[in-house]
Amino acid sequence: MIQAIAFYIFATVVIVSAGLTIASRNPVHSVMWLILAFFNAAGLMVLCGAEFIAMLLVIVYVGAVAVLFLFVVMMLDIEVAAMRAGFARYLPLGLALAVALLAEVIIAFQAWSVGGVQLAARAAPIAPEVSNIQAIGNLLYTRYLFIFEGAGLVLLVAMIGAIVLTHRKRGGVRPQNIAKQNARQPHEAIRNINQPIGQGVEL
């Protein structure tokens, strides 16, 4: 019974938070709703008995979303002062959300201790003595090897594209010369002066 309750709670929160991720006008709020969706999707993975995938969702995706949050703040020129001013206003909502997440984690572990939902066994039946990580590895490197390598190539192309966009030449921005920086001696980079008291600094 607790498995069904936990499933409906997690599924409802995932759908609602995914919709709010798309519908929210503020990019920071969209990222927060996306993090909530990832946490609840991890809860669904725990219910299915895929603890490894649940940990991947929390560690990799939520960690990557934190980096994405920084990029959104830097690239969209969001006023940090205004964001800090709204922190106190949204503090009760944030605390309530934290308590709700903690309650969901407790419900998920209670349901997991009862036993995983048998959906995973029907979709990809494995022997009971095979661990979760070993079963995922067997599927990735045998049946889905070419799809796995294709996903790696797509990520490699995306990474190369990001590097090319970062190192493109822009007007008014001096390019970084790595060789010149490495060849510079310490006495060329630092100047020690005895500055008299009461006078300005001469640059």
Side-chain angles (χ1 to χ4, degrees):
M1 183 64 183
I2 188 172
Q3 295 174 341
I5 295 173
F7 172 79
Y8 284 116
I9 291 175
F10 289 141
T12 303
V13 177
V14 166
I15 294 172
V16 172
S17 57
L20 290 173
T21 301
I22 301 171
S24 181
R25 293 179 177 272
N26 192 328
V28 179
H29 295 170
S30 295
V31 172
M32 293 303 157
W33 287 118
L34 189 60
I35 291 175
L36 181 62
F38 281 145
F39 268 112
N40 286 273
L44 289 175
M45 292 298 107
V46 170
L47 288 179
C48 292
E51 301 88 5
F52 180 70
I53 298 179
M55 290 306 298
L56 281 181
L57 276 171
V58 173
I59 295 173
V60 177
Y61 282 94
V62 175
V65 164
V67 176
L68 174 65
F69 173 75
L70 294 177
F71 274 106
V72 166
V73 171
M74 288 187 296
M75 295 178 66
L76 297 183
D77 195 19
I78 297 174
E79 295 183 5
V80 180
M83 194 168 62
R84 286 179 180 173
F87 176 77
R89 184 175 58 182
Y90 291 113
L91 183 60
L93 179 61
L95 290 176
L97 190 60
V99 172
L101 282 174
L102 180 62
E104 286 183 346
V105 169
I106 295 173
I107 292 173
F109 276 105
Q110 291 291 331
W112 176 74
S113 61
V114 173
V117 181
Q118 298 302 318
L119 294 175
R122 284 184 241 165
I126 57 173
E129 64 273 7
V130 177
S131 64
N132 196 342
I133 301 174
Q134 184 179 354
I136 293 173
N138 290 334
L139 285 175
L140 281 181
Y141 294 108
T142 55
R143 184 184 300 178
Y144 302 108
L145 177 62
F146 295 111
I147 299 175
F148 185 64
E149 291 180 348
L153 286 175
V154 170
L155 292 175
L156 177 63
V157 170
M159 182 178 67
I160 293 174
I163 293 172
V164 170
L165 289 175
T166 304
H167 287 281
R168 72 185 188 275
K169 294 183 179 180
R170 289 171 286 182
V173 178
R174 291 189 302 174
Q176 186 178 14
N177 192 337
I178 305 296
K180 185 177 179 181
Q181 290 179 355
N182 290 333
R184 187 173 59 177
Q185 299 298 320
H187 66 273
E188 298 174 355
I190 300 174
R191 185 179 59 163
N192 294 326
I193 59 173
N194 187 9
Q195 183 66 30
I197 299 175
Q199 295 184 11
V201 178
E202 181 182 352
L203 299 176

